[in-house]
Amino acid sequence: MTIRRALGSDVGQLSLLEKKLFSEENFPLSKGSFRYHIKNSSLFVTQIDYDIVAYVLVLIKRKDAKLYSIGVDGSFRGQKIANQLLQKSIEELRKLGFVTLVLEVRVDNLEAIALYQKIGFETQKRLKAFYGDGCDAYLMKLDIKWEEI
Ligand SMILES: CC(C)(COP(=O)(O)OP(=O)(O)OC[C@H]1O[C@@H](n2cnc3c(N)ncnc32)[C@H](O)[C@@H]1OP(=O)(O)O)[C@@H](O)C(=O)NCCC(=O)NCCS
């Protein structure tokens, strides 16, 4: 198993994985979006043999880092793949000097909320009818400051 930065040649597999993970009403990322994020965002993948089985995408602006999306192929869940991917992403964000990572998550996405809580994210507030179908979101935040000893 390898965790590495996504490459342009991964776009086809990323797009297939995205379609498995997110239905149309959840606005799956297009191939064009993946191409854009490979150049402009922080996008890591987990590769097993020749297959991309997971990815994590963090949007980075001047001072802000936002976890936009994370997904693991159904048959590979429960093996700490998402946890490891997020740790890799956080390690990079620290090197780049970011001190917090934020995200929004559907309040009904219990697996994702459990993952984020395990990593140490804390809920900041509940955003009413944040999603198109009326579902609320939790705004969550993680302090990723490097503690100098
Ligand atoms: C959420 C998701 C990324 C988790 O991936 P995963 O690789 O199975 O997660 P991990 O094995 O790394 O789990 C890490 C921790 O998250 C929590 N967790 C993950 N899946 C869980 C589940 N089904 N039930 C309860 N807790 C869960 C646990 O605390 C787990 O730690 P533990 O194994 O020590 O108990 C995966 O379920 C997924 O791809 N879901 C669909 C896409 C999605 O909704 N993404 C998030 C919104 S963008």
Side-chain angles (χ1 to χ4, degrees), residues 17 20-22 53-55 67-74 76-86 103-106 109-119 131:
L17 174 60
K20 285 201 242 172
L21 293 170
F22 301 107
V53 300
Y55 82 89
L67 177 58
Y68 182 81
S69 183
I70 183 164
V72 178
D73 191 323
F76 293 89
R77 289 187 192 156
Q79 300 178 37
K80 312 258 191 264
I81 288 179
N83 193 315
Q84 287 172 35
L85 258 177
L86 254 175
L103 62 83
E104 288 116 15
V105 60
R106 293 177 65 97
N109 194 341
L110 303 183
E111 294 86 2
I113 293 167
L115 165 71
Y116 302 144
Q117 285 175 337
K118 179 103 190 187
I119 301 252
Y131 295 99

Side-chain angles (χ1 to χ4, degrees), residues 17-116:
L17 174 60
E18 183 76 351
K19 284 185 188 137
K20 285 201 242 172
L21 293 170
F22 301 107
S23 55
E24 279 308 315
E25 58 271 25
N26 287 312
F27 303 107
L29 291 166
S30 63
K31 283 188 181 175
S33 300
F34 276 117
R35 262 183 225 110
Y36 172 84
H37 289 303
I38 285 169
K39 288 196 186 127
N40 299 291
S41 309
S42 169
L43 181 48
F44 284 98
V45 296
T46 301
Q47 183 177 343
I48 296 180
D49 298 327
Y50 294 102
D51 298 327
I52 289 177
V53 300
Y55 82 89
V56 60
L57 170 61
V58 175
L59 308 185
I60 44 185
K61 285 198 192 151
R62 263 178 230 150
K63 279 163 73 184
D64 303 311
K66 180 185 271 200
L67 177 58
Y68 182 81
S69 183
I70 183 164
V72 178
D73 191 323
S75 33
F76 293 89
R77 289 187 192 156
Q79 300 178 37
K80 312 258 191 264
I81 288 179
N83 193 315
Q84 287 172 35
L85 258 177
L86 254 175
Q87 299 296 352
K88 179 85 178 172
S89 197
I90 290 166
E91 194 184 296
E92 177 186 71
L93 293 170
R94 281 192 180 120
K95 284 184 194 152
L96 293 171
F98 290 94
V99 292
T100 54
L101 177 59
V102 296
L103 62 83
E104 288 116 15
V105 60
R106 293 177 65 97
V107 297
D108 59 5
N109 194 341
L110 303 183
E111 294 86 2
I113 293 167
L115 165 71
Y116 302 144

